[in-house]
Amino acid sequence: MAKKITLLLDAGQLRWALRGALAAAASDDITPVLCGVNWVIEGKHVHLVATDRYRVHETLVPRPKGAGTGEFLMDRRQAAWILANAHRPARHFPEQQIRVSWTEGTPTKAGRIAVEVIASEADDAPVFRYEADAVRGKFPPVRRLFKAPAREETEVAAEAVDIIGLDPKFIASMQHLVGYRGEPLVFTMPKPGEKKLSPMRVSNVGGTARALLQPNLLINGAAEWQGGELAEPAPVAKASAA
């Protein structure tokens, strides 16, 4: 008999977790496993993980009591459908829940994921349903990168730090990891002086979301800037009409 996992989750918590994880998923279809959100059900939590090779986002929601363990990969379209169809204005849907059911596939066929948005506990409450194939393929084991030892607090603060470059759009996407208004994010920088920089670790204070962002050493003129005015770029010469 095929393995099946059913999760009945709070709509507000799941929408937050999906939004935070999906921000790091790839948007091209060349590598399908990087375009989705990997669900890992273990211990006390449901882990939602996504990566586009340059960053990793992981968010956590409580694991429902009695839910089985395992993992499956949901494609971007189905995750986006949940965000578009699960709304939780307290005055209209104070008890809204989302039921996610995954049925294991076969070696030649992907499993199946069914999502139900349940407006309330009333018997006549509207239910919206979306069903799709799970993504076939092996999701990269990026979660183990979080287990890298954190930088020791005993290191000398005045130690020289390499200048690194970070993509602003990756930093902006981390706003979705904030669990509540005003919650700060904690940034742990790579150890200075390493030839190959380790990922920068980011987490929220509540411990329900974390991310890895791969920085790059700046080797162009910007690395020389230590404050002051930046030079204006040279004007581009326009070709005259023949």
Side-chain angles (χ1 to χ4, degrees):
M1 180 179 293
K3 182 177 181 179
K4 185 174 182 177
I5 296 176
T6 299
L7 305 166
L8 187 61
L9 302 167
D10 175 84
Q13 290 181 337
L14 181 57
R15 290 180 69 233
W16 168 80
L18 267 179
R19 189 180 293 111
L22 198 58
S27 57
D28 62 80
D29 293 327
I30 298 176
T31 311
V33 296
L34 299 184
C35 296
V37 177
N38 196 47
W39 293 57
V40 181
I41 303 94
E42 63 180 19
K44 297 180 179 180
H45 298 98
V46 177
H47 303 251
L48 304 183
V49 190
T51 182
D52 60 359
R53 293 193 182 93
Y54 302 101
R55 52 187 167 164
V56 181
H57 283 195
E58 179 184 28
T59 53
L60 289 75
V61 295
R63 175 186 169 194
K65 187 176 181 179
T69 60
E71 67 177 280
F72 55 88
L73 187 54
M74 175 184 287
D75 70 32
R76 171 184 283 275
R77 288 184 296 273
Q78 194 168 17
W81 182 90
I82 295 175
L83 293 177
N85 289 276
H87 303 284
R88 199 189 177 194
R91 62 185 181 276
H92 296 311
F93 305 109
E95 302 170 340
Q96 189 178 72
Q97 294 179 308
I98 299 176
R99 182 183 290 114
V100 180
S101 301
W102 167 75
T103 304
E104 185 180 30
T106 66
T108 58
K109 188 176 181 180
R112 193 76 173 167
I113 303 174
V115 177
E116 293 176 313
V117 178
I118 308 167
S120 73
E121 295 181 353
D123 294 337
D124 58 348
V127 176
F128 304 96
R129 183 180 175 88
Y130 183 103
E131 192 169 338
D133 287 336
V135 179
R136 280 192 66 189
K138 185 70 173 177
F139 191 76
V142 292
R143 289 184 64 222
R144 67 186 182 187
L145 297 174
F146 285 110
K147 297 179 181 179
R151 181 177 176 179
E152 295 181 3
E153 296 181 359
T154 56
E155 291 184 13
V156 180
E159 188 177 358
V161 177
D162 290 320
I163 297 176
I164 61 174
L166 300 172
D167 192 322
K169 70 179 181 181
F170 293 164
I171 298 176
S173 69
M174 291 181 184
Q175 65 180 304
H176 301 300
L177 304 180
V178 174
Y180 59 86
R181 180 173 296 183
E183 182 185 27
L185 294 177
V186 180
F187 292 77
T188 303
M189 300 299 292
K191 185 177 180 180
E194 294 180 346
K195 292 183 179 179
K196 183 178 180 181
L197 286 179
S198 301
M200 183 174 69
R201 297 166 60 91
V202 185
S203 62
N204 64 0
V205 173
T208 57
R210 57 185 181 177
L212 294 173
L213 177 59
Q214 182 61 52
N216 295 299
L217 283 172
L218 292 177
I219 56 176
N220 55 25
E224 304 297 329
W225 182 67
Q226 299 294 332
E229 296 295 328
L230 286 173
E232 291 291 331
V236 178
K238 296 183 179 178
S240 58

